[in-house]
Amino acid sequence: DIQMTQSPSTLSASAGDRVTITCRASQSVSDWLAWYQQKPGKAPKLLIYKASTLESGVPSRFSGSGSGTEFTLTISSLQPDDFATYYCQQYDTNYTFGQGTKLEIK
Amino acid sequence: EVQLVESGGALVKPGGSLRLSCVASGFNFSNAWMNWVRQAPGKGLEWVARIKGKIDGGTTDYAAPVKGRFAIFKDESKKSLFLQMNSLETEDTALYYCTLDGGRMVDAPNDYWGQGTLVTVSS
């Protein structure tokens, strides 16, 4: 099974900051990589798929990059609404989620 | 408008069985790839099972922890997705989400989610 490792597990930042979350796959997943945002008590929301394609309606301050085994999610200028937990997911071979990154207010 | 509405969650004893349902609307149910994804209390997301669309063979795949115990299937006449869960373990306690792949764009996974249904396995 493909394992996904996210870092960091927790990230403290302030509004306006630029932040980056990293996701590593245990083997190549090409660009079959998605990112989700989840807020407490809510279902996850798809942000990015195919490593870098922004889902419709997602603000352009979110961006994704990478291929193979290394991927990043970048938020260019944090807004108050962005404080949430983020998950990566490979969908090259079945599906595997990363363990999550909690983005909290510094 | 795509809608996914789960039901069937309950408190069940270890070793017991439960069937979850997800009523779907607003898309081509027969050819849809759909999943069950779970989240244990305070924990991360875990993919459970997937069924491919009829046009792709309708085949199923399972995560290792549930293989042989859970079964995902569709009833097209009811436009419903099911998860039959047998030999339940305490580690199966979670909120179970029904999801749709490619609801908006063909290469997008899990772009629609239901609200979840809670399964608690405890003696």
Side-chain angles (χ1 to χ4, degrees), chain B residues 9-115:
Chain B
L11 172 62
V12 62
K13 288 182 167 50
S17 296
L18 200 60
R19 179 176 293 183
L20 306 183
S21 303
C22 171
V23 177
S25 60
F27 60 95
N28 184 334
F29 182 74
S30 175
N31 289 330
W33 289 36
M34 298 187 71
N35 305 274
W36 289 98
V37 174
R38 68 185 180 184
Q39 187 167 36
K43 302 297 184 184
L45 301 171
E46 181 183 24
W47 171 74
V48 173
R50 177 188 63 205
I51 184 164
K52 295 183 180 178
K54 192 173 185 178
I55 201 169
D56 297 303
T59 55
T60 58
D61 294 283
Y62 299 91
V66 308
K67 200 167 187 177
R69 299 189 298 124
F70 289 11
I72 185 172
F73 59 99
K74 287 178 177 178
D75 182 329
E76 295 191 10
S77 68
K78 296 179 180 177
K79 286 199 172 182
S80 293
L81 176 74
F82 297 95
L83 185 68
Q84 177 66 42
M85 304 186 294
N86 299 326
S87 304
L88 282 160
E89 304 168 354
T90 55
E91 293 78 12
D92 297 318
T93 294
L95 185 64
Y96 284 72
Y97 292 103
C98 164
T99 79
L100 169 65
D101 286 346
R104 278 186 281 267
M105 299 301 288
V106 68
D107 287 336
N110 304 306
D111 51 355
Y112 287 95
W113 296 65
Q115 83 288 351

Side-chain angles (χ1 to χ4, degrees), chain A residues 3-7 22-26 88 97-99:
Chain A
Q3 308 301 317
M4 304 301 292
T5 304
Q6 277 181 245
S7 59
T22 298
C23 182
R24 289 187 174 87
S26 59
C88 65
F97 289 94
Q99 80 278 16

